[in-house]
Amino acid sequence: MAAAAAALRHLAPVGARLARLPPRDRAAGRLLQQRRGFRLSAPAAIQVTVRDALNQALDEELERDERVFLLGEEVAQYDGAYKISRGLWKKYGDKRVIDTPISEMGFTGIAVGAAMAGLRPVCEFMTFNFSMQAIDQVINSAAKTCYMSAGSIAVPIVFRGPNGASAGVAAQHSQCFAAWYGHCPGLKVVSPWSSEDAKGLLKASIRDDNPVVMLENELLYGVPFEMSEQAQSKDFVIPIGKAKVERQGTHITLVSHSRPVGHCLEAAAVLAKEGVECEVINLRTIRPMDIEAVEASVVKTNHLVTVEGGWPQFGVGAEICARIMEGSAFNYLDAPAVRVTGADVPMPYAKILEDNCIPQVKDIIFAVKKTLNI
Amino acid sequence: MRKMLLAALSRVLQGPAAATAVAAGRTGAVSEASRVMVASRNYADFASEATFEIKKCDLHRLEDGPSTTAVMTRDEGLHYYKTMQIIRRMELKSDQLYKQKIIRGFCHLYDGQEACCVGLEAAIKPTDHVITAYRAHGFTYARGVPVREILAELTGRKGGCVKGKGGSMHMYTKNFYGGNGIVGAQVPLGAGIALACKYFGKNEVCLTLYGDGAANQGQIFETYNMAALWKLPCIFICENNRYGMGTSVERAAASTDYYKRGDFIPGLRVDGMDVLCVREAAKFATEHCRAGKGPILMELQTYRYHGHSMSDPGISYRTREEIQEVRSKSDPITLLKDRMVNNNLASIEELKEIDVAVRKEIEEAAQFATTDPEPPLEELGNHIYFNEPPFEVRGPNQWIRYKSVS
């Protein structure tokens, strides 16, 4: 049983590792994982890629509530730039799945206005880099309106799309916006890692009556994760604002969100061989952040390392460290909290340079050992 | 001549009581008896409606335009007069309160432009939708928010229409989406509201207003494109008051034909100082949209007496003579008054009575706005989210927490 459980835990980092393989190897790896999955998982669990999980979530929510509609560039007839909305236009038609011209500021404003008037739009940014063109509508029109109107106007909208580094897309297409959107009251910001995260959080976001920014990750779209029977249900939602402990541990707490969660689990597997047991927390939500989960973990382990893909200054890790200092968990720290982040440079193109700009497993292991002084 | 004869005749018919009524009108107190007499005399003396010639609109990509004649009933005229007068006096009262530092921050006044919001409201239904920029007090009133709630919002009191949370630029009510502070941002929002109108299929339209300054914003052109592409029932309305803050239209726009700037979108240029012109043009535009023909653009040529905001005296980029000329030749309230009196729809005395009643209403509203308490501190954290269980919000330091309820 313990061996099975341990093997199960390995599935996740394998999944993350798969993401870095070229497509042909990825397919072979997926098959292998599927076989492994069938042998070792609970009876009704299946392997589902993040892409398919998102697609299911959209399909289910479009069906459930006719006020929900999807708009963005290439979401309809192209099946989505990253195929997230595959098949949806064919099923639901022009009214529910709308292709927009390349006009981020315009179509984002239109989506926000539609939400104010009672619809429930899902506004896709082809990547969040392009959301900067529309950020005024996200912040000033969507996030602040409920407050300014003393609660008389709700803006039930979801802004979603891939965020952060991809592979070889260079500086203008690799920025992480978790800190930017996480900064603003009035928004909720979620950042899924696994397929369950993706499906449960997207459904929850669509059902939420507030503007939600969902930061996906392009490199995770093709990665399969195990999805429990419960997660396959049409009513499966994950509460916004609750973190998940992906791996129990006693020596140190690793807190992360999105793709780096996979790297943390890989690092934890390596460190376990050396007798260091890491507790890995998947934040799942950036705002409102479940700092209580982090605090409870730090009280137990006395050491903290935060891991994120975004730049270090004013980032998610900086916020976690500040809040830990302010709270009761500070007294339980045996060493200063440490941050592992993207390098403080615009993303370069050459592979060797790019690889060294994102937090790798070795960087996490190094940080852990430094913190534990081993 | 005819006017003199009519006046003489009515004096003869009314008799001595009328003189009392008139005198009473001047001092602001009308006795019950004479009021009844005046009322019953009104019914007999005045026309129930009149037809007016109005200026022809310049057309863009339209074969036909709005009618060049407008029928206005006595009741309509009195309603437009009172509404415009209320807005005028409300804005002047705001000016006063701002100078007394009882209103803070931004305050963009609408006096001079009253015919726009009143004419537009006259052409649409309460179930239609309106969104505008920050010069919004007139629309807020026209859409149904009482003066006292507008003034109390300006003075930041709990009785304000949004509990003091929004202020001058962020007032809302049913089917009125503000009050928007970011120049031009309200235009895509308006098209989105129009998209919802089309989606729900209830034959509603959205009036989406912006100024001559905002007309040069890129997002407006993005919105024109999508509104036309998707045939959204969106009426784009440019309130051209000739100046974007301190910059005249000639210095800001390569083309000042704002009604043509929608290119593939048909457009009308309308005399925005004439409430009937605005009304007829808006009726034409709403028919166009409700017929499923897609968006349409209206440019209302209007004028603001005040500067851009209360911190702008408004005379460094335009002359006092220009302001005075507009006031004397094109004031929307005076234009309506003259029309009504000259066409026997109302008497000068009656309109003066309305003026008195309006002044009283504004005074009472201002009294409320200056005495109502400020919102309680607990309000600070509220309404961050909609329909959310209560949670805590951080204050200026980690020990100060506010509860946030929806």
Side-chain angles (χ1 to χ4, degrees), chain A residues 235-307:
Chain A
D235 288 309
F236 174 71
V237 290
I238 285 179
I240 295 176
K242 282 272 164 275
K244 183 185 178 201
V245 178
E246 297 286 351
R247 183 190 195 277
Q248 301 271 0
T250 47
H251 298 125
I252 188 164
T253 300
L254 302 180
V255 187
S256 187
H257 71 97
S258 190
R259 187 159 175 261
V261 171
H263 299 149
C264 288
L265 288 167
E266 279 187 59
V270 172
L271 286 162
K273 294 197 191 108
E274 298 177 43
V276 177
E277 291 300 325
C278 302
E279 180 143 292
V280 178
I281 298 181
N282 173 6
L283 276 178
R284 285 180 160 177
T285 301
I286 305 292
R287 176 184 266 266
M289 191 185 290
D290 188 359
I291 200 67
E292 289 80 12
V294 181
E295 285 178 325
S297 180
V298 168
V299 162
K300 192 171 69 168
T301 68
N302 313 120
H303 298 85
L304 175 62
V305 170
T306 70
V307 185

Side-chain angles (χ1 to χ4, degrees), chain A residues 66 95-96 103 105-107 109-110 113-114 119 136-137 146-151 153 187-188 209-210 326, chain B residues 162 165-166 170 172 182 185 188-189 192-193 199-200 219 222 226 230 380 382-383 385-388 394 398:
Chain A
E66 57 181 27
K95 184 178 174 181
R96 311 289 302 284
S103 309
M105 201 168 185
F107 74 67
I110 284 178
L119 291 175
D136 175 68
Q137 296 289 359
C146 185
Y147 190 83
M148 292 192 296
S149 68
I153 299 200
L187 284 182
K188 295 189 183 182
D209 290 334
N210 295 285
E326 289 176 347
Chain B
V162 285
K165 299 291 274 288
H170 309 294
Y172 308 83
I182 307 297
L189 295 179
I193 296 162
Y199 196 105
F200 287 125
Q219 58 186 315
E222 293 187 8
M226 286 182 274
W230 302 332
L380 193 155
N382 293 341
H383 312 120
Y385 294 131
F386 188 84
N387 199 18
E388 183 86 358
R394 186 193 166 106
Q398 70 206 61

Side-chain angles (χ1 to χ4, degrees), chain A residues 14-339:
Chain A
V14 165
R17 214 182 298 132
L18 279 176
R20 270 182 284 195
L21 293 173
R24 194 168 36 84
D25 299 327
R26 235 182 277 165
R30 202 175 302 148
L31 202 56
L32 184 64
Q33 191 169 349
Q34 256 178 328
R35 285 206 207 106
R36 271 210 212 125
F38 277 129
R39 239 192 294 136
L40 296 169
S41 345
I46 51 169
Q47 294 289 310
V48 179
T49 61
V50 171
R51 172 179 291 113
D52 290 339
L54 291 168
N55 186 275
Q56 277 169 33
L58 286 170
D59 191 358
E60 288 167 10
E61 295 306 298
L62 281 163
E63 189 174 56
R64 177 179 180 270
D65 187 340
E66 57 181 27
R67 298 170 299 171
V68 176
F69 73 100
L70 175 63
L71 86 167
E73 293 154 12
E74 310 298 350
V75 297
Q77 299 189 21
Y78 196 80
D79 273 337
Y82 299 99
K83 306 300 176 217
I84 305 300
S85 51
R86 187 195 294 124
L88 296 178
W89 174 68
K90 224 179 189 166
K91 184 172 176 184
Y92 294 101
D94 287 328
K95 184 178 174 181
R96 311 289 302 284
V97 185
I98 303 175
D99 275 336
T100 65
I102 307 172
S103 309
E104 272 76 8
M105 201 168 185
F107 74 67
T108 305
I110 284 178
V112 175
M116 289 178 178
L119 291 175
R120 302 187 75 91
V122 177
C123 177
E124 177 175 303
F125 291 119
M126 198 180 280
T127 76
F128 266 95
N129 300 286
F130 315 136
S131 74
M132 275 200 286
Q133 309 226 287
I135 201 164
D136 175 68
Q137 296 289 359
V138 177
I139 308 300
N140 280 320
S141 301
K144 297 178 185 173
T145 292
C146 185
Y147 190 83
M148 292 192 296
S149 68
S152 53
I153 299 200
V155 189
I157 189 169
V158 177
F159 302 102
R160 51 157 293 275
N163 175 62
S166 180
V169 293
Q172 292 179 342
H173 288 76
S174 304
Q175 190 169 330
C176 175
F177 288 85
W180 283 42
Y181 290 117
H183 187 58
C184 302
L187 284 182
K188 295 189 183 182
V189 181
V190 299
S191 182
W193 167 60
S194 66
S195 298
E196 281 198 14
D197 289 353
K199 183 173 177 190
L201 286 174
L202 182 52
K203 287 168 78 74
S205 301
I206 292 173
R207 296 183 191 192
D208 200 302
D209 290 334
N210 295 285
V212 182
V213 171
M214 175 142 147
L215 304 170
E216 300 159 8
N217 187 293
E218 196 244 310
L219 296 173
L220 286 175
Y221 283 154
V223 176
F225 289 85
E226 184 179 286
M227 217 171 201
S228 66
E229 191 173 4
Q230 186 205 12
Q232 293 164 48
S233 137
K234 281 190 180 176
D235 288 309
F236 174 71
V237 290
I238 285 179
I240 295 176
K242 282 272 164 275
K244 183 185 178 201
V245 178
E246 297 286 351
R247 183 190 195 277
Q248 301 271 0
T250 47
H251 298 125
I252 188 164
T253 300
L254 302 180
V255 187
S256 187
H257 71 97
S258 190
R259 187 159 175 261
V261 171
H263 299 149
C264 288
L265 288 167
E266 279 187 59
V270 172
L271 286 162
K273 294 197 191 108
E274 298 177 43
V276 177
E277 291 300 325
C278 302
E279 180 143 292
V280 178
I281 298 181
N282 173 6
L283 276 178
R284 285 180 160 177
T285 301
I286 305 292
R287 176 184 266 266
M289 191 185 290
D290 188 359
I291 200 67
E292 289 80 12
V294 181
E295 285 178 325
S297 180
V298 168
V299 162
K300 192 171 69 168
T301 68
N302 313 120
H303 298 85
L304 175 62
V305 170
T306 70
V307 185
E308 70 198 279
W311 292 319
Q313 298 198 33
F314 312 97
V316 175
E319 176 65 16
I320 294 172
C321 291
R323 288 217 218 172
I324 289 296
M325 275 218 293
E326 289 176 347
S328 50
F330 173 74
N331 293 313
Y332 291 82
L333 278 176
D334 287 345
V338 159
R339 298 174 295 162

